[in-house]
Amino acid sequence: MLVLTRKIEQSIAVGGATGFERLLKITVLAIGNGNVRLGFEVDASVPIHRWEVWQRILTESQREKPAEDLGVLSAQ
């Protein structure tokens, strides 16, 4: 895990270099009351989710896939 320290209005860029198609810009908008408010700028085609939402989406999509898509072979 990479840990960076940023102040309000400072940003972090993810991707956008050689070999990466998209750039994700994360900006610290506010800090206070035990919370950090972040702003995310990226192409509209790139989904951004809170971690727990992403895990739920992943779990639900795996449940909906047929056995063949999950690499499980059925007996014939």
Side-chain angles (χ1 to χ4, degrees):
M1 174 186 299
L2 173 64
V3 178
L4 301 171
T5 301
R6 301 277 71 204
K7 296 178 182 176
I8 294 176
E9 298 300 321
Q10 292 182 331
S11 300
I12 298 166
V14 179
T18 304
F20 293 96
E21 294 178 14
R22 296 182 176 94
L23 171 73
L24 169 63
K25 180 180 175 187
I26 306 165
T27 303
V28 177
L29 301 176
I31 303 170
N33 297 327
N35 294 309
V36 176
R37 187 174 186 96
L38 302 173
F40 296 85
E41 295 176 54
V42 68
D43 185 278
S45 66
V46 177
I48 299 176
H49 301 287
R50 294 187 322 262
W51 181 255
E52 62 274 14
V53 172
W54 180 86
Q55 287 178 315
R56 187 176 65 230
I57 292 168
L58 183 63
T59 299
E60 289 173 2
S61 69
Q62 287 176 343
R63 270 193 253 141
E64 293 173 0
K65 288 185 179 181
E68 295 85 27
D69 290 348
L70 297 174
V72 178
L73 300 176
S74 58
Q76 295 183 13

